[in-house]
Each structure stands twice: as C-alpha cells, then as structure tokens.
Amino acid sequence: QSALTQPPSASGSPGQSVTISCTGTSSDVGAYNYVSWYQQHPGNAPKVMIYEVTKRPSGVPDRFSGSKSGNTASLTISGLRAEDEADYYCSSNGGSDNLVFGGGTKLTVL
Amino acid sequence: EVQLVESGGDVVKPGGSLRLSCAASGFPFAAAWMSWVRQAPGKGLEWVGRIRNGGTTDYAAFVKGRFTISRDDSKNTIYLQMNSLKIEDTGIYYCKWEHNANYGYDDWGRGTTVTVSS
C-alpha cells in the first residue's frame, strides 16, 4: 500500500489561511470517508484534529476544517497562529483492512 | 479519562527480538480495536497493524510475518512481538485505540522507543 501524497512543506503568516492537500487513489481516499488529520509537535505524539473527513473533536478550534474531493483530501487552517506550527499528517482507510498515512507536511508560521 | 501507556522499548541488535506492551484504561477495552503505528527518526507515521476485539489481526505488508500483535483482555493490554529486527525498525512505536472499525476517531499513547543497532 503506497503512502498518501502530501506537500513536504507549507507556510503562512499569522492570521492567514493555509490549505494542505493529501492525494490518494480511488482505493483509499476516494473510496472511503475515513480521512483523518493529525498535528504533531516535536517530541509529542500525534493529535487528531479532523476525522471522517470533516469532523472536529471537541477541543479542536474551529479554525481547523477538512474536506475531500475525489481522491484528494484537504486540511484548511484559518487565522493561523504561532502554535499551529507543527507537522501535519493525513491518514485514510486504505482498503483491505489497512490504514495508510501521508508523508507529512511541515507547516511554518512566518 | 482514556490512557494508553506503551512500554518495552529498548536497544537491541539486528536479528534480535523485542516485545512491546500497551496498557489501556478509561474505556471498554475488551470491545476495542487497537493499532500499532511507528515513526522512524525524522520520518513520517507508518501503520504496523491492528488487533480487533476477539483477537483477529491485520498487518501492513512490510511486516511479512516478523511481527505479531496479541492482546490480554484480563490485563487491558496489547502486545507487539517483534522478531528478526532490522536497523530500519528503529523508531517510536505508538499504540492507539480505534474508536471505529473503519479508522475514524482515535486516541494515542505517548510511544516507546525501539533502537536496533549493532
């Protein structure tokens, strides 16, 4: 199972919006509404920010939102804040009872 | 409160074996589907495999029979037995509780570190 494709880096200034993409195939992202997004700060475990494409866990700011079109899912962070600087990973049900992750995107807040 | 605590990480030589544990609390463990995910130093996340309630397992292709996931519901613990370890197995190993059988919402532990080195 191949990894999902994410841009290695993204950046934005405080207050701006940034969108991170996650491209898979018709066998994973395109086939299931089970895409999650994780935030990982250095030295910490991943934290789920979005699950099932658009759902936000309690406690996650509504500045974080998710969407999907075809084989590509997206995470949008609006009103960027310094604490949003982190690595972001997407994951998807990969079919055949597997889970597949993206390679990760390093977000820099300028 | 959900808690997942991994343990058992160590330094081991190539070809060696190691058993990791993940102790769970705060949720109905016997009904839970649990996964292991790993992260090599400076690299991304990689799914290792999962164990369903009842004990059926699913594995990533790279495991190729080297790793085995098991569970002891009486101890609220899952295990990852790793054999024939390779240098590329080095990394942090996380366990997570899959709230949904289709990989939706989840809770993660803090991880345990495995170093394979001669």
Side-chain angles (χ1 to χ4, degrees):
Chain A
Q1 193 75 28
S2 300
L4 307 176
T5 300
Q6 298 181 232
S9 63
S11 64
S13 298
Q16 289 186 332
S17 292
V18 65
T19 296
I20 299 171
S21 62
C22 170
T23 301
T25 70
S26 58
S27 296
D28 39 58
V29 174
Y32 302 95
N33 287 322
Y34 287 99
V35 175
S36 297
W37 288 92
Y38 300 92
Q39 177 191 68
Q40 187 179 35
H41 288 110
N44 288 353
K47 173 187 174 183
V48 61
M49 305 301 281
I50 297 289
Y51 66 102
E52 293 178 25
V53 180
T54 61
K55 297 179 181 178
R56 197 172 47 247
S58 62
V60 172
D62 59 6
R63 302 184 295 105
F64 291 82
S65 62
S67 63
K68 190 184 86 166
S69 178
N71 297 338
T72 297
S74 299
L75 172 71
T76 298
I77 309 170
S78 58
L80 268 177
R81 303 179 65 159
E83 59 261 36
D84 298 334
E85 185 163 294
D87 293 327
Y88 289 85
Y89 295 91
C90 63
S91 72
S92 172
N93 186 318
S96 301
D97 299 310
N98 285 353
L99 177 66
V100 62
F101 284 96
T105 298
K106 183 177 182 61
L107 175 64
T108 300
V109 180
L110 302 170
Chain B
E1 178 193 5
V2 173
Q3 285 202 338
L4 297 164
V5 180
E6 303 91 337
S7 61
D10 205 346
V11 179
V12 61
K13 287 180 167 36
S17 298
L18 203 58
R19 189 179 82 156
L20 308 182
S21 301
C22 169
S25 61
F27 61 97
F29 181 80
W33 294 37
M34 305 287 295
S35 284
W36 286 98
V37 175
R38 71 181 186 178
Q39 186 170 33
K43 302 297 184 182
L45 303 171
E46 183 175 40
W47 181 72
V48 174
R50 75 174 174 184
I51 186 164
R52 310 178 190 197
N53 60 349
T56 303
T57 51
D58 304 294
Y59 295 102
F62 75 84
V63 168
K64 293 182 179 177
R66 295 189 300 126
F67 295 177
T68 302
I69 301 173
S70 61
R71 64 191 297 155
D72 185 340
D73 289 344
S74 69
K75 296 182 178 179
N76 283 11
T77 299
I78 65 166
Y79 304 96
L80 178 63
Q81 176 67 44
M82 302 186 293
N83 299 328
S84 303
L85 281 162
K86 305 175 183 180
I87 290 175
E88 52 264 39
D89 294 320
T90 293
I92 300 173
Y93 284 70
Y94 299 98
C95 69
K96 68 187 185 92
W97 170 31
E98 306 285 355
H99 289 230
N100 184 301
N102 291 303
Y103 298 112
Y105 184 75
D106 52 20
D107 282 291
W108 293 59
R110 298 177 67 89
T112 187
T113 299
V114 173
T115 302
V116 184
S117 173
S118 54

